[in-house]
Amino acid sequence: METRHADGSISIKIEDNGCGIPDDVKGKLFQPNFSTKTDGMGLGLVLVRQTILQLQGTIKVESTVGKGTQVVVHLPLRKQSDDEKNP
């Protein structure tokens, strides 16, 4: 995992050297009710993406079968208002 802070934003990079994600699966990662597991509901990554978008950020997945996967989350930083600092 790697984090970077620059130009009023933060990036978080998570990567592995696992089996990778096939292209046909990668295209469905953020679709509701999609799961490669028999007991999964397929909502986890949908909620993650929705939350990141609500924070005006982005999430990017790059993967190569047999080599691994890299996920980068990019979020803008914002200044706390006085109300948030002193609840």
Side-chain angles (χ1 to χ4, degrees):
M1 182 165 55
E2 177 182 313
T3 59
R4 292 180 186 235
H5 175 264
D7 300 323
S9 65
I10 187 166
S11 292
I12 304 161
K13 178 169 62 171
I14 303 162
E15 57 188 327
D16 69 25
N17 58 357
C19 61
I21 303 170
D23 286 339
D24 61 322
V25 173
K26 190 169 47 172
K28 300 175 185 176
L29 287 177
F30 299 107
Q31 290 181 5
N33 303 313
F34 174 77
S35 179
T36 59
K37 300 177 183 178
T38 56
D39 61 346
M41 293 183 63
L43 295 177
L45 288 176
V46 173
L47 295 174
V48 166
R49 183 175 180 269
Q50 181 180 353
T51 301
I52 291 169
L53 292 175
Q54 286 176 347
L55 295 170
Q56 298 167 350
T58 61
I59 183 168
K60 182 178 180 182
V61 177
E62 293 184 11
S63 189
T64 303
V65 174
K67 293 190 177 183
T69 301
Q70 178 182 49
V71 178
V72 178
V73 176
H74 185 82
L75 296 169
L77 296 175
R78 64 178 179 87
K79 294 181 180 180
Q80 283 185 316
S81 69
D82 288 337
D83 291 338
E84 293 172 317
K85 291 177 187 175
N86 302 311

